[in-house]
Amino acid sequence: MYQTRRSRPTAVVTIAALVFLFAPLLIVILFSFHSTNSLSLPFEGFSTQWYREVLSDRSVRSGLEVSLKIALLTAAVTFVFGTAAAYGVSRTMSRLKGFYAALFVIPIAMPALILGIALLSFFSDRGIRLSTMTVVIAHTVFVMPFFYVIAQTALNRIEVAQLEAAADLGAAPFYRFRHVILPKVLPVLLGGAAISFVISFDEFVVTYFVIGNESTLPLVIFSRLRRTIDPSINAISSLLLFVNLALWLAALIYSLRLQRRRRLDALAQTEDIL
């Protein structure tokens, strides 16, 4: 039997790429515990003062609340309208199906700067006051293509024979969607909504143009960077990183449990047949 050999150059390149990716994150976390306000070596000692300062800062807490509210609303709106759009396009028999799909994907190719300026002009021309809702609308436009691609890929995998069988048994269209399609694609759709949440939470450029008097957490960080650079920025970044890791671990555990449940169900069905 042919056995592949490990390539030393490939291993070196892989390790170098991993170091390139994760070393900056480790440095950010390390200096978030620095006892002084310096961000350069030598490292003079550990302290949690920057975390205490960040957690007691009213502007940081306010920016976090605004960012969470905007990201949750964006994820919810994207989930509803993105699922409806992907389902409609995936089930249409029109010759313009590819054109409709392209319309939803076009914003991906548009730079965030151009999109922010365009939306700002749109709101200004129609006399719409900039607020949290204008940010939600802008973020929905920005993240919809990402969710749409994920949702359409999942919906295209649904076997038409299952839908035809449900229709032959008298199931209404909404019943078919609710009991046949949705259970199969819901984990993927929730994953797409989570991606929409993360993109919206981290978005800066589009937010900068369409927000009103409030500030999101990225805007708060940008404002701090314009005044001074100290380990408090590292502390904020580290906290966000820890939260993202916790969410990733939760999603991984859920995915593993879901796969295990599916394997057990398949095994049980096989035993019933035998």
Side-chain angles (χ1 to χ4, degrees):
M1 181 181 295
Y2 176 75
Q3 183 176 4
T4 59
R5 296 181 178 178
R6 295 182 179 179
S7 173
R8 182 172 297 179
T10 302
V12 171
V13 172
T14 302
I15 294 174
L18 293 174
V19 171
F20 179 79
L21 288 173
F22 292 101
L25 296 178
L26 296 177
I27 293 174
V28 168
I29 296 174
L30 175 63
F31 279 95
S32 69
F33 293 98
H34 204 188
S35 59
T36 68
N37 61 355
S38 174
L39 292 176
S40 60
L41 295 173
F43 191 82
E44 300 179 9
F46 286 90
S47 175
T48 59
Q49 62 172 326
W50 304 109
Y51 286 91
R52 294 194 300 269
E53 177 182 325
V54 166
L55 295 175
S56 61
D57 193 321
R58 182 177 301 177
S59 63
V60 174
R61 294 201 304 269
S62 176
L64 178 61
E65 292 175 1
V66 173
S67 292
L68 288 174
K69 179 172 66 174
I70 291 174
L72 287 172
L73 289 174
T74 300
V77 173
T78 303
F79 180 86
V80 174
F81 289 98
T83 301
Y87 179 73
V89 174
S90 64
R91 293 292 170 258
T92 184
M93 303 301 294
S94 173
R95 296 179 179 178
L96 299 177
K97 180 177 180 178
F99 175 74
Y100 295 149
L103 289 179
F104 286 100
V105 181
I106 284 177
I108 292 180
M110 187 178 300
L113 177 64
I114 304 302
L115 181 62
I117 295 174
L119 290 170
L120 175 61
S121 300
F122 173 81
F123 294 138
S124 299
D125 291 342
R126 282 150 184 79
I128 301 175
R129 186 175 63 86
L130 298 181
S131 63
T132 300
M133 293 311 301
T134 57
V135 180
V136 172
I137 295 172
H139 283 197
T140 301
V141 174
F142 185 72
V143 305
M144 180 70 76
F146 300 95
F147 181 89
Y148 173 83
V149 171
I150 295 172
Q152 189 179 43
T153 301
L155 289 169
N156 286 337
R157 295 178 179 176
I158 300 297
E159 296 181 4
V160 180
Q162 296 180 353
L163 301 178
E164 292 177 347
D168 292 339
L169 294 174
F174 180 76
Y175 186 92
R176 295 198 297 268
F177 176 80
R178 173 66 179 83
H179 295 278
V180 179
I181 297 177
L182 191 58
K184 295 180 178 296
V185 300
L186 184 58
V188 179
L189 297 181
L190 292 177
I195 293 176
S196 301
F197 175 88
V198 172
I199 295 175
S200 174
F201 187 88
D202 293 337
E203 176 54 37
F204 171 77
V205 178
V206 175
T207 307
Y208 183 82
F209 286 97
V210 298
I211 199 168
N213 297 325
E214 297 178 304
S215 292
T216 61
L217 188 58
L219 291 177
V220 172
I221 295 175
F222 177 71
S223 177
R224 280 174 168 260
L225 289 173
R226 294 178 64 182
R227 297 195 304 267
T228 182
I229 300 178
D230 57 43
S232 65
I233 305 298
N234 297 48
I236 297 174
S237 303
S238 299
L239 288 173
L240 295 178
L241 178 61
F242 296 150
V243 172
N244 286 333
L245 287 176
L247 293 176
W248 177 80
L249 287 175
L252 178 62
I253 293 173
Y254 173 78
S255 177
L256 293 176
R257 288 183 176 179
L258 184 63
Q259 293 178 5
R260 182 173 180 272
R261 185 185 306 171
R262 288 178 176 176
R263 287 197 299 267
L264 292 176
D265 292 341
L267 182 60
Q269 292 177 0
T270 304
E271 292 177 351
D272 292 340
I273 293 175
L274 296 177

